[in-house]
Amino acid sequence: MNRTGKTLLVLALVAVVGMAFRVSWNALRDVATAVGADETAATLYPFVVDGLMALALIATLVLVGRDKTFALRVLAAYTLASLVLNYVHGLVPELHGGSVDWGRLADWDPANWTLVLLATSLPVGSIYFGSDLVAKVLHHRPIDTAPIGKCVDTSINRSTADLEESTPAPVAAVETPAALPASVSVDLVELAPVRSVAAESARPRGATGRVPDAARSARPVRTADELLDEARSATADWSVDDLTAEGIRKTVRTSPAKARVLRETLRAERSAGPVEASA
């Protein structure tokens, strides 16, 4: 709908509301007179009821969410109250034209008390609900409903003299994926060392304190003579070329340094001749 159609629709609504307000004027004024209002108060009473209905209608068109629901409830409540008072005015001929300054709204006492309570409570409710609706409308922030596709970068439309830096190339001109900007590349290069350092920073924690007996090796410590005798026995059928430090180390299960000493000793004994047996 164009703007002209919306304007005509609003004008039609205002006309209908104005005519309805005039039709309801006499009934509300006469009811106000019947519950004890003076001439001035009775004249203003229709503005209290139907006027708040118009205010709630405007708030309904402006507000959204829970606030809109609250405005609709206020509009429905005052519409129902105005309907009840107009209905009572049609049932009680004595109220027509304000012929009496005070009278009953119903012959049955509980119904009369209820109607009087309703008629007298509407002005107080108008103050409360009207103030609340006006506050909600004043504090309402309209939501930007512009389509996402129409969002345009304003910096592109600015002249070159207004920009602190040179105007960037239009986004539409880039048909294929381009290389990363320099700022992004620098950030990635700077972050890489941080990640590698964090991965290398985890080092195994060395054992501290006394090692428990259960964790110690049960192998007894051998003396140099015992280690040499064991090596002689294990390599008795070896040739001189087979006497290597690595082979001796694996056979007698000793350290590389002791294995080299054993190798030199055994080779020296093989060169000097057979070892004489001890008595």
Side-chain angles (χ1 to χ4, degrees):
M1 183 180 294
N2 55 18
R3 180 174 298 180
T4 304
K6 293 181 179 179
T7 303
L8 293 176
L9 183 62
V10 172
L11 292 177
L13 175 62
V14 172
V16 172
V17 171
M19 290 184 290
F21 180 77
R22 179 62 187 88
V23 172
S24 179
W25 177 278
N26 291 337
L28 296 179
R29 183 193 59 185
D30 294 343
V31 169
T33 302
V35 295
D38 57 14
E39 182 178 357
T40 302
T43 304
L44 296 177
Y45 187 82
F47 291 99
V48 174
V49 181
D50 293 343
L52 183 64
M53 291 169 55
L55 178 61
L57 178 60
I58 296 175
T60 302
L61 300 176
V62 175
L63 300 176
V64 295
R66 295 182 178 179
D67 294 340
K68 183 175 182 178
T69 303
F70 174 76
L72 286 173
R73 291 177 178 176
V74 173
L75 177 61
Y78 269 72
T79 301
L80 180 61
S82 179
L83 174 63
V84 171
L85 295 181
N86 278 270
Y87 176 71
V88 171
H89 181 266
L91 291 179
V92 183
E94 292 81 3
L95 300 178
H96 298 175
S99 58
V100 294
D101 294 337
W102 182 85
R104 295 175 60 87
L105 298 179
D107 294 334
W108 188 39
D109 288 340
N112 182 64
W113 298 337
T114 302
L115 292 175
V116 172
L117 177 62
L118 174 63
T120 54
S121 62
L122 289 179
V124 180
S126 297
I127 297 175
Y128 175 78
F129 293 116
S131 302
D132 196 5
L133 289 175
V134 171
K136 291 181 183 299
V137 171
L138 294 179
H139 290 84
H140 173 68
R141 294 183 179 180
I143 301 176
D144 186 8
T145 57
I148 298 177
K150 296 184 178 180
C151 295
V152 181
D153 188 1
T154 56
S155 62
I156 298 179
N157 298 329
R158 296 170 60 188
S159 62
T160 306
D162 295 334
L163 298 176
E164 298 179 357
E165 300 177 358
S166 60
T167 305
V171 178
V174 180
E175 299 295 339
T176 58
L180 291 176
S183 59
V184 178
S185 301
V186 172
D187 294 340
L188 293 178
V189 172
E190 291 179 355
L191 289 176
V194 176
R195 294 178 181 176
S196 61
V197 171
E200 293 177 358
S201 61
R203 297 185 178 89
R205 183 178 179 184
T208 58
R210 180 176 177 272
V211 179
D213 294 338
R216 295 183 178 181
S217 176
R219 186 182 184 88
V221 179
R222 294 169 292 181
T223 62
D225 295 337
E226 292 176 348
L227 189 60
L228 180 58
D229 292 339
E230 185 176 350
R232 285 172 181 166
S233 301
T235 61
D237 55 348
W238 291 15
S239 63
V240 178
D241 295 335
D242 294 336
L243 293 175
T244 60
E246 183 65 18
I248 297 173
R249 184 188 68 80
K250 293 181 179 180
T251 303
V252 298
R253 299 181 180 276
T254 185
S255 64
K258 293 181 179 181
R260 288 193 294 270
V261 174
L262 293 174
R263 179 195 61 188
E264 298 300 330
T265 303
L266 294 176
R267 285 185 178 181
E269 292 178 351
R270 297 286 181 92
S271 299
V275 180
E276 296 180 359
S278 60

